[in-house]
Each structure stands twice: as C-alpha cells, then as structure tokens.
C-alpha cells in the first residue's frame, strides 16, 4: 500500500539523488573556449588603453558583490544549482588562504583549467569576494560585526579600504561614473574579441601556459616539461607473437651437446648439467627459530637453495627475486617469507596478532591456486592462519576476506580487487605480495602482472606502508631486469640458480619435424614417440603429453598397435604376471571405452573428459608402476604430481579459442611438463623430449637453456591498463601516466633494449629517462580511450576525466574494443535478438572463426536454439550467438574445437552481460537494463526465462521440472498451493513436501512505500521491504543482492537505482530504505518501483506509486512581506 504524507516541510539536511543524462554535452569545455575568446590573451597589443582595459576587465566593484554573486557566476558553467552552491562554499574557503600561490593552485584543481577567466577575477579580487560575500550572507548583527572587525585587522589584503567602500552611500555622480565605466569595459571587450578572432592560436596557448604554470602538480606544462609530440601506433609496436616472441638471435648450447639429421626430422641432444657442491652446508630444521619449525614438519633440513635463501627470506624484509628450476623447492622459500611476516606480529606472551596483516600469493593457474591453498593450510594451520582461494570460480565475501590471513589468487582477480577503491580496507593490510612464476611477464597475461607490481610499488611510495614483494621465477637470462622492476637490491635480494640445481638433473632432447604434409607429419611424430618409448620400455615409466583429449587416445592406440605389429608388446607387459592380471581386472571396471581398450596392454590415458573414478584408477595404477606409458593432457602436469623418468611433449601446438587457431604452448606449460621428468629419490637423471616443428627448435632450445630474454607485453594492453589507473584516480593527466609507466617492466626493457620497442638510438641518447617516449605512449593510449568515450582527454592541458563507460570497463575487465562496439550499437529499445547479436560482436570474440567442418553442426544447433539467429552460420558472430544459446539450453556438442570455443564463450559471457547491464543502468534505460539482467541470470543459471523458476534449485529432478513446465499455472499461484496439491500436480505425492519447501525458499519480498514531496521537482520515498521467504544458507549463501529500481510511467527511464543487500541474520526483519526521486512537469499519473533479485530469475516485486492524491507545494510561493527599512 502507498501512504501519502501531507506534511510538506522541507528537511534541512536532505540526501538528494538527482538523475542526470550521461550524454549531456560537456558545457564546461564550451564555456572555457568562450572565456578564452573573450579575454585578452595575445601579447604585444598596440592600443594605449589596452593595459588599462586588461586591469579593468578583472576588477570588481564592491557594490556588485552580493550574497549570491559567486553562485551566479558558477551557474554559468554548471547547470546543477546544488553543485554551484557547494562549489561557492569551497571557493570561499580557498580564498581565505593567505598564500596566493597555494590559493591559485587549489582554485585551478577545483574549477578546472578552462575556467581561468573566472579564476583570474577571483584571484584579482580575492579579498573583495571573500569579505563581501560573507558580510552579505551574515545572519545577524553580531556575525556582521565580527567580519567587520576581521576586515579592519587585515591591512595586508586591504580590508579597511573594502569596508570603507562598502559603507559609502551611492550618489548619483558615482552611479553615472560606474555605468560609464561599465559601458567602456564592454566596448573594449567586444573590440578585443574581434581582434582575437584574427590572432594566432599559439599566442593564446602561450598566454594560457603562462597562467597555469603555477600549478606544477596538476599541469604537465609546469617547469617547462615536455609535451606529447607524436601519436605512437601501439598496435604496430605490440608483439604479434605475444608470449612466443623470440628475441634471441643465436642460441649457445652447453658443451657435449650434439645434433643429428634424420629422415623427416632433426634431433638435438643437450646433456644434463650436474651441480658440483663446493662446501655447501644444508641448514637443519632444528636450527631454525623454534616457533617457525611447525611449518616444516616431516623435513629434516632445508635443501641447497633454501639454505642459501634462509637469511634473506626468513630474517630480513628485503624485496626478493628467486630464479630457480621447476621442482627446486621455491614453495618453501615462500613459506619462509610468510613466517618472516608472522614473526613481526608475535606477541610477547605468545600467540600472534593475526588481524594486523594479510599475505597475498599470486599463482598463474587455478589448478596451482587450489594446490597452494591445500599446501599452505596444512603447513600454517598450527599458527591459526586461515588460507583461502580467491579466483574466478571462488569468490569470498567481505567477512570471509576479513578473517582470511593468506589469500591465494590469480593475477586477474587480484588486479580487479586492487582496482576497486572500496576494497582498500583490507588491501592496505597486505604486508607481503608473493608473485609465483613471474617469468609470465613474457606471456600475454604479463601486462596484468606488470599492473599489479607497479600499483603496489607506487602505493608503497605514496602511503609509506611497507609491502614486501617476492618474485618466484623459472631460470631466465635477464633476471637483473626483473629485479630492477620489482625494486630488488641485487646485492641482498637477488638469487639465481641454473639448471644444475634441479633436484634431478635433466637430459634434454629436441626434435624438429621437417615434414611439411600434415598426415606424414602425424605419422613421423608417432614413429618418433614409439622409438623413444622403446628405449625405456620395461625399464622406466613414460609420460606423453598430448594437447587434446582425442589426441591422447589416438597416440596411445597408435603406440599399442605399433608394439603389437612389431611384436614388442611384451616389453610393456608380460603375460601371467600380477601386473597383467591387475590391469585386466581394472580394465573391466573402466567406464571410458578407450581406457578399457588400452589398459590390458600396459598403456593408459588421462584427461579432464574422463570420470573422476577412471582418473583416480589411472593415477593409482601409475603410482604402483603397473602402467608403463601414460598419454595425458596438460591438466596432469598442473594438478596431479605423477613424476616419470621420461617425459615426451608430443607437438607444441594447442587450440586457442581466444585466437581461433592452433597456437604454440606457453613457456609456463612447457616448463611445468618437463618439471615432471625425473623422480627424486629414484633417478640420477630425468629425460625430457620435445617434439616440435623444425622452425620452433631455436625457440625451445633458448627457452630451456636460459637464453630467452623476458620481454614486456604491456603495449598491447596499454589503453585498458591506463584506463584502470585513471578510474582509480592514481593517474590524472599525461604526466602522471608517464610517471606510472616508469614503474612498469616495459620501461625497464625500453631502457635495456629500446630498438625492440621502437626507441631509436638517438632518442635513447638525448633522453636518458625516455620521458618523451613515455609521454607519447601515454598520449597515444589516452587518445584511444578518448575516441571510444572511456575517458575525456583534454589535449591542451593533458588532463584526464573519468567517464561512466571507463568505470564499467575497468570494473568488468572489458577491453576498449568491446566498449567501442557497445557504445556504437547499444540502443534503449533493443530486443533479445539484438542483444544476443551485440554480445556476439564483442571484441573478445574477434578471432573466433567458422571452420568448414563445423558448419553442419552449427546449422543443426541453429535450428534448435530458441532465439533466431539472423546471420548465416558462416559469420563468426552467428557462431558465438549459437554457442551461447546452446550453453543456456544445455545442448551437447561434438567437435573438439567447437567445445573449446563454447568454453571460452561461456567464461566471458557472464562478465560481458553484466557489463551491458551496468551500461544500460548508467544510461537510465529501464527496459534494456531488465533484459540484460535477465540474460545475465540465464547464463548463470543455464536456463531460459520461459522455463520453471524451480529449476534454479539443483536438487529438483529434471523429470519433475518438465512436468511443471507442461502445466499452465502462473508462478504466483504456486504460493497458494499446499504440499498435497503440488504432489498431485506432478502426479508424485511424495514430491509435494519438497516442492512446497522450494516454493517457500524462493526469494520473495513484500513492499510498501510512503512518499512525500519535498519540492515540486523532488519526491522523498520511504520504502519498507519485508522478506517473505525461508532463508536457507545452503541455497541463498549468507546474503542476497537485490536492485531497487524506480522507473517512469512508461517503464523506459530509470529515475533511481540502488543496490539492497539482504543478509541472513536480518532475513526475518523489516528493512527501511530512504531515497529521493525527481519529479517532472506535467505530473505523471504514477511511477513504478521494482525490487529485482540479482541472481534469481522471476524473483521481482513491482509496486506502483500513484500521484493521483499527491498534494504538491505551490508553484509560485507568495512573496514575503516587504519590511519598512530606513537607509543608514
């Protein structure tokens, strides 16, 4: 029910929410231009009166300045009266400053540089405006008397003279003189405007530069600093090969390496490098501080690397970079660094102040994140430390983050967290940031690591809150550059260990296939695999990494068939042995047909497409040495620790849905796979074999022998990374952006290897710090953002201004290409068909293309999906559209590449849909916002709006859901049905109770509103929300988010939006929300107030607010009585 309140008294302190159009023209800029044109900016004027005119133009008469003079002046630039009033107060406060330079700087920052005419007037008449405004606004005689006394004391600013001028009675003569002076000023101003039209822009710019030079902090022209000189083509400078960039011209192989040319391929052998200890002493765990020994339970001593690192890692707080081979025990070094932080917060009586710090461990893969959480939880449990995962799959509530001490996260997730200023409450408690696999700087994800590290280092320098940065890396040649980037002291915190420090030395073989034809190449690879497998058959276990699930089965079957044909199968399994019996029994239990076929021969496969039981069985049989040859995908290298004597990487290309083609494996994957070669405690050396194309031999030889320099990939993502900093507020102009670039790894590499990044030798010589180059890069990135409306970039002053689109892009991690597409095509009246089409045009999917073999399957899918696809299936956008609908519809796909593409589309879908929802909300488009939010929920829930709302409960059987969907009963009616009725409805009486429980757990709210007009253009709403459902933590988590949206009578414009969080502990209480909405003439019949669930489909309540009986304030209030005042 809606209750009206006739009380029309205005509340003095009202929180007014005014909805403004996002696309209003920026009139400030227009006023700035007019102001420049109307003032005398050119030098060398030849009129005798011009100097006098210049002074007169900015001189105010004290009689002109009344209580609202300043507010009227500001309202010329700002439409919003409330903003003008607030700015007027701020200006008066600034004018009270005694230091003129400080006053000028603050005015420029507050009012922007384009309003410098007004700023000149304020500075020239500082005391007049300050005192006259205050004295005219004085509420009583006492206040007025105090201000007059203050003026008499202020002889420096001419206070007594201003007071005397104020107290003079205006005579007819002075009035005529004033009017004549005014007319003269006006004539001079008009003449000057005409003259300025013919004058050069450079003269105007020069005068403007002169004016703003005092503001060194905000202006890039201060101290005569460089300006951007050229627009850099960022696309041409970014590396096409990305992480596969090969900047090493020649690879020097270790001694005793040898090459061999064979038919169809070339072979390179690199011997294992063995470390010769020279007086090394391993530190026993018993020698560590007693309180720290619990973290190393089960160990007797630290290994060689950990022993050398112990003084720096455990006993100092130096930034640290450790470069060591895979399997060298880097995790223990990370634990020592964590213990160092813990030691700083030890209490005297025992125990630790765990709430005073946080530790962040950034791992590159979700599989590694989960592994680290288990490992760190086990080792730090005794200290009371809680370790939790924060990744795309696993998000934490604020309460959970508050009680977590070690956060293990992915680079992208931590980047998003640190971008949000609201998360400062816990990010400022971070005392240790550990970045694992920091050699990923060379990868396409490198810019994210650069951004995280640069942001942390800048934060340390600005806030002086110490954060220790620890980088863990594989062996790399230019480790000094990475150390410089992380601000590591080379003499104290830089440690480099080469391949000889591997726990088991690795003998490497590189095989480059020279065969060009695909079928022959496949055969040659299988033959090489067979040959290499036979050298170890019967002696050692072998892991063969393939890059698709189908390829695993094909390779294992091919090897088995070759062994059978050549009568060598007995090398892998002997008849009558216990192993053969075990394998035969287990093969009957296997549910995977390929595995069932292979197991009895001593071969097996392992990939994510198999059931958990099958995978566990394979892992156990392999650990017990029953399986000789295991063909697997990369998931085995990351997730399960199953080392082998020999590892073969069969081919180095895998399908990348992001790029829509087969790409080379990332260096990280290669290193991780070869890290599985050699079993500590069993082997004296391991064997790693990489089979690749001949053209890639040089790259992999360089990679695995520390000769591939790590380069920066930041330029490719520069506009998006810069946008994040602008939105945060840490970069406000081009000079700030150039300074931010000096904290990046890109800057370090530009200084070291400038030519690769387009820096000429002359540029490097003339500008040692490459300031001009950084300015040009920042300028070019800012132009890109400005072009796509993600920020406003003033080319003259270099200032950046955040836009709504820029904020949304930063929050949802969306690239500028996608934002440009949305900005161009998004319309308030879009249908579902158009919204799906727009999603498919996102920049994230620009490299997806349609293959010939997919067209038949896509055509079949297109006929089955509910929303029509207008384009031909040959269009990539049609493919994305069909895949998204197939995902929501739970359709099964056949083609391997199509499944990979679907996974990629699904991963991006929720984020991009949320982005579209936010843009629609910011623009006030109610209908589109509702459609976009419904789409978000469809993707998250994998169901259509037309399906039963009860499908959102996972425990509901599919058969029951289908029965409910066949019944033509409105959803609202379900609340009136009893358990018996619901059981009867689906013809299964025992299901009645379960269905009744689901219906009453479905989020439902009761609404009532109380409205009161504050003015004719503002309405105050008091909304009462009563939850009317059973809150279950297992179903609803600990909180449910709702959107409160007020729309106009047509349901087209959003007049007000705010989030409402319903927490479990208050789920049975009434909630009151107060807000204001604007009113317009003529008065509409009603508004609609909706409260919509953020996650649950069909969970929304609408309340119409009728204005039929609303009593509005008078349009023209009566004048106050004129008082009979006598002049003094």
């Amino acid at each position: 029910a809606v209750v009206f309140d006739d009380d029309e008294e205005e509340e003095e302190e009202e929180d007014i929410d005014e909805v403004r159009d996002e696309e209003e023209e920026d009139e400030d800029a227009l006023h700035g231009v007019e102001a420049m044109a109307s003032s005398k900016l050119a030098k060398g004027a030849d009129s005798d009166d011009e100097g006098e005119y210049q002074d007169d133009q900015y001189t105010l008469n004290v009689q002109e300045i009344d209580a609202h003079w300043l507010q009227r002046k500001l309202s010329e630039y700002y439409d919003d009266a409330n903003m003008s009033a607030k700015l007027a107060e701020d200006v008066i406060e600034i004018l009270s400053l005694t230091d003129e330079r400080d006053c000028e700087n603050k005015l420029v920052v507050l009012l922007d540089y384009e309003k410098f005419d007004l700023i000149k007037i304020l500075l020239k008449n500082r005391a007049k405006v300050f005192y006259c405004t205050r004295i005219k606004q004085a509420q009583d005689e006492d206040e007025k008397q105090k201000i007059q006394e203050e003026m008499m004391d202020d002889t420096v600013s001419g206070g007594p003279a201003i007071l005397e001028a104020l107290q003079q009675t205006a005579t007819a003569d002075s009035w005529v003189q004033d009017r004549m002076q005014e007319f003269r000023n006006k004539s001079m101003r008009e003449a000057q405007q005409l003259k300025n039209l013919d004058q050069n822009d450079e003269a105007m710019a020069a005068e403007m530069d002169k004016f703003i030079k005092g503001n060194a902090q905000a202006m890039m022209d201060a101290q005569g600093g460089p300006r951007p000189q050229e627009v850099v083509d960022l696309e041409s400078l970014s590396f096409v090969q990305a992480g596969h960039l090969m900047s090493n011209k020649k690879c020097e192989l270790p001694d005793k390496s040898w090459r061999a040319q064979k038919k169809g391929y070339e072979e390179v052998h690199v011997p294992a490098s063995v470390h010769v200890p020279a007086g090394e002493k391993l530190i026993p765990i018993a020698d560590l501080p007693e309180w720290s020994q619990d973290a190393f339970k089960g160990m007797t001593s630290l290994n060689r690397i950990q022993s050398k690192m112990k003084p720096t890692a455990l006993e100092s707080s130096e930034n640290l970079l450790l470069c060591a081979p895979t399997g060298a025990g880097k995790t223990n070094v990370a634990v020592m660094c964590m213990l160092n932080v813990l030691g700083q917060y030890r209490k005297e009586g025992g125990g630790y102040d765990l709430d005073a710090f946080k530790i962040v461990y950034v791992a590159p893969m979700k599989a590694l994140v989960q592994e680290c959480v288990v490992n760190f939880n086990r080792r730090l449990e005794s200290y009371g430390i809680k370790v939790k995962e924060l990744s795309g799959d696993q998000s934490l509530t604020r309460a959970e983050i508050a009680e977590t001490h070690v956060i293990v996260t992915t680079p992208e997730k931590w980047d998003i967290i640190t971008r949000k200023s609201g998360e400062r409450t816990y990010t400022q408690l971070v005392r240790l940031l550990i970045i694992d696999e920091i050699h990923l700087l060379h990868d396409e994800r490198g810019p994210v690591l650069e951004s995280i590290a640069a942001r942390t280092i800048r934060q340390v320098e600005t806030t002086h809150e110490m954060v220790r940065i620890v980088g863990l890396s594989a062996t790399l040649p230019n480790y000094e550059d990475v150390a410089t980037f992380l601000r590591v002291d080379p003499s104290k915190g830089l440690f480099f260990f080469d391949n000889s420090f591997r726990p088991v030395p690795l003998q490497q073989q590189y095989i480059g296939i020279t065969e060009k034809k695909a079928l022959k190449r496949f055969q040659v690879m299988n033959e090489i695999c067979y040959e290499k497998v036979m050298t170890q058959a019967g002696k050692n276990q072998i892991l063969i990494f393939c890059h698709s699930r189908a390829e695993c089965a094909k390779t294992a079957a091919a090897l088995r068939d070759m062994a059978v044909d050549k009568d060598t199968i007995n090398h892998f399994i002997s008849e009558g042995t216990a192993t053969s019996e075990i394998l035969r029994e287990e093969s009957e239990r296997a549910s995977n047909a390929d595995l069932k076929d292979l197991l009895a021969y001593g071969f097996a496969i392992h990939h994510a497409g198999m059931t958990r039981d099958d995978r566990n069985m394979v892992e156990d049989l392999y650990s017990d040495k029953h399986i000789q040859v295991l063909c697997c995908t990369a998931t085995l290298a990351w997730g399960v620790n199953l080392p082998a004597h020999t590892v073969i990487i069969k081919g180095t290309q895998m399908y990348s849905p992001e790029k829509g083609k087969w790409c080379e494996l990332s260096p990280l994957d290669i290193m991780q796979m070869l890290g599985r070669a050699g079993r500590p405690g069993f082997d004296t050396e391991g064997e790693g074999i990489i089979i690749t194309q001949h053209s890639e031999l040089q790259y992999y030889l360089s990679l695995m022998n520390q000769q591939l320099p790590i380069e920066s990939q930041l330029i490719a993502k520069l506009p998006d990374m810069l946008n994040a900093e602008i939105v945060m507020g840490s970069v406000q102009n081009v000079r700030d952006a150039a300074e931010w670039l000096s904290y990046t790894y890109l800057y370090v590499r530009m200084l070291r290897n400038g030519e690769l990044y387009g820096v000429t030798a002359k540029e490097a010589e003339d500008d040692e710090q490459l300031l001009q180059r950084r300015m040009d890069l920042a300028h070019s990135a800012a132009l890109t953002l400005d072009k796509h409306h993600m920020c406003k970039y003033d080319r003259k002053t270099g200032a950046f201004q955040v836009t709504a689109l820029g904020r949304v892009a930063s929050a949802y991690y969306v690239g500028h290409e996608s934002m440009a597409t949305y900005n161009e095509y998004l319309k308030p009246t879009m249908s579902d068909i158009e919204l799906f089409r727009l999603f498919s045009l996102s920049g994230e999917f620009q490299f997806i293309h349609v293959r010939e073999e997919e067209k038949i399957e896509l055509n079949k899918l297109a006929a089955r999906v509910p929303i029509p696809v207008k384009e031909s299936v040959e269009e990539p956008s049609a493919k994305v559209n069909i895949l998204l609908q197939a995902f929501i519809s739970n359709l099964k796909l056949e083609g391997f590449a199509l499944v990979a593409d679907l996974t990629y589309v699904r991963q991006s879908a929720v984020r991009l849909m949320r982005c579209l929802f936010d843009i629609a909300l910011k623009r006030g488009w109610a209908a589109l916002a509702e459609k976009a939010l419904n789409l978000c929920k469809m993707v998250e829930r994998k169901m259509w709006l037309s399906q039963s709302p009860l499908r959102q409960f996972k425990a509901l059987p599919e058969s029951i859901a289908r029965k409910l969907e066949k019944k033509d009963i409105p959803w609202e009616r379900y609340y009136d049905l009893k358990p018996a009725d619901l059981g009867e409805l689906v013809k299964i009486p025992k299901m009645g109770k379960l269905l009744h429980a689901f219906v009453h757990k479905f989020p439902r709210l009761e609404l009532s509103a109380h409205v009161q007009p504050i003015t004719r253009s503002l309405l105050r709403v008091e909304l009462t929300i009563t939850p009317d459902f059973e809150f279950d933590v297992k179903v609803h988590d600990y909180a449910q988010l709702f959107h409160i949206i007020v729309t106009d009578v047509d349901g087209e414009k959003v007049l007000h939006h705010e989030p409402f969080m319903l927490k479990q502990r208050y789920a049975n209480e009434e909630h009151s929300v107060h807000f204001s909405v604007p009113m317009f003439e003529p008065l509409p019949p009603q508004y609609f107030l909706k409260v919509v669930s953020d996650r649950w489909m069909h969970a929304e309540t609408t309340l119409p607010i009728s204005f039929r009986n609303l009593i509005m304030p008078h349009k023209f209030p009566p004048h106050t009585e004129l008082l009979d005042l006598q002049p003094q």
Side-chain angles (χ1 to χ4, degrees), residues 200-449:
N200 201 321
D201 284 346
E202 288 177 16
M204 294 170 72
E207 179 67 22
M208 186 175 176
D209 289 350
K210 183 179 174 185
F211 171 74
I212 58 179
K213 235 168 196 176
N215 190 357
Q217 193 70 33
M219 298 304 302
M220 67 175 188
D221 291 315
Q223 314 301 320
R227 301 171 63 94
Q229 289 178 355
E230 64 171 306
V231 178
V232 179
D233 184 355
L234 298 175
E235 199 173 332
S236 67
L237 280 180
S238 56
F239 304 126
V240 181
Q241 313 94 314
H244 203 65
L245 173 71
M246 173 66 183
S247 55
N248 183 31
K249 304 231 176 2
K250 190 181 178 190
C251 181
E252 298 287 339
L253 293 177
D255 292 340
K256 297 184 181 174
S257 299
W258 55 274
R259 288 176 182 262
Q261 286 285 355
K262 299 194 178 177
K263 189 184 176 183
Y265 63 94
E266 182 186 1
E267 210 170 312
V268 181
H269 285 249
V270 178
S273 52
V274 183
H275 180 70
V276 181
E280 287 181 353
K281 181 176 177 291
L282 300 184
I283 296 177
I285 299 300
D287 287 2
L288 297 178
E290 194 176 329
W291 61 269
S292 69
Q293 291 175 19
D294 280 353
F296 301 96
K297 277 179 186 167
M299 292 172 59
T300 52
S301 69
L302 299 175
N303 70 12
R304 292 178 296 163
I305 289 176
Q306 294 152 10
S307 299
K308 286 189 178 183
M309 300 280 302
K310 182 237 171 191
T312 310
L314 186 62
E315 294 162 12
S316 83
S317 293
E318 285 283 335
N319 281 2
L320 194 148
L321 174 64
L322 164 62
C323 301
T326 309
K330 294 193 281 270
T331 309
N332 277 346
V333 176
V335 170
M336 284 195 277
C337 293
M338 292 178 187
L339 291 173
N340 168 262
V341 174
L342 196 61
Q344 294 170 31
Y345 293 94
R346 283 183 76 206
K347 294 176 183 173
E348 286 182 15
Y352 305 90
D353 185 4
L354 297 177
D355 294 330
F357 69 90
K358 296 224 178 294
I359 294 167
V360 175
Y361 187 98
V362 178
M365 308 272 288
K366 286 177 193 168
L368 271 182
V369 167
Q370 289 153 2
E371 198 179 303
C372 290
V373 169
V374 173
N375 187 3
F376 294 147
N377 254 327
R378 178 174 51 79
R379 298 180 62 172
L380 301 173
E381 198 175 13
S382 59
Y383 300 98
I385 285 180
K386 283 190 179 176
V387 184
K388 285 202 175 157
E389 171 189 347
L390 186 61
S391 67
D393 297 339
Q394 196 71 38
S395 54
L396 303 175
T397 63
R398 282 176 184 272
E400 285 175 317
I401 287 179
E403 61 189 31
T404 302
H405 310 110
V406 178
I407 297 169
V408 186
T409 180
T410 54
E412 288 78 9
K413 193 71 178 180
W414 190 243
D415 188 19
I416 289 172
I417 294 285
T418 52
R419 283 180 181 192
K420 295 178 183 173
S421 53
E423 316 293 355
R424 278 283 294 155
T425 43
Y426 60 84
T427 55
Q428 67 188 3
L429 290 175
V430 174
R431 291 291 166 266
L432 172 63
L433 174 66
I434 302 173
I435 304 176
D436 196 3
E437 315 288 359
I438 201 165
H439 52 272
L440 267 182
L441 285 167
H442 192 75
D443 195 66
E444 286 171 344
R445 296 165 69 201
V448 184
L449 290 180

Side-chain angles (χ1 to χ4, degrees), residues 882-911:
I882 292 167
L883 287 177
L884 179 63
Q885 292 193 54
F887 171 71
I888 297 172
S889 305
N890 291 295
L891 300 181
K892 287 212 165 27
L893 306 185
E894 292 166 11
F896 161 70
L898 212 53
V899 173
D901 285 335
L902 174 69
T903 306
Y904 177 62
V905 170
R906 174 182 61 80
Q907 286 169 342
S908 307
V910 176
R911 181 171 52 86

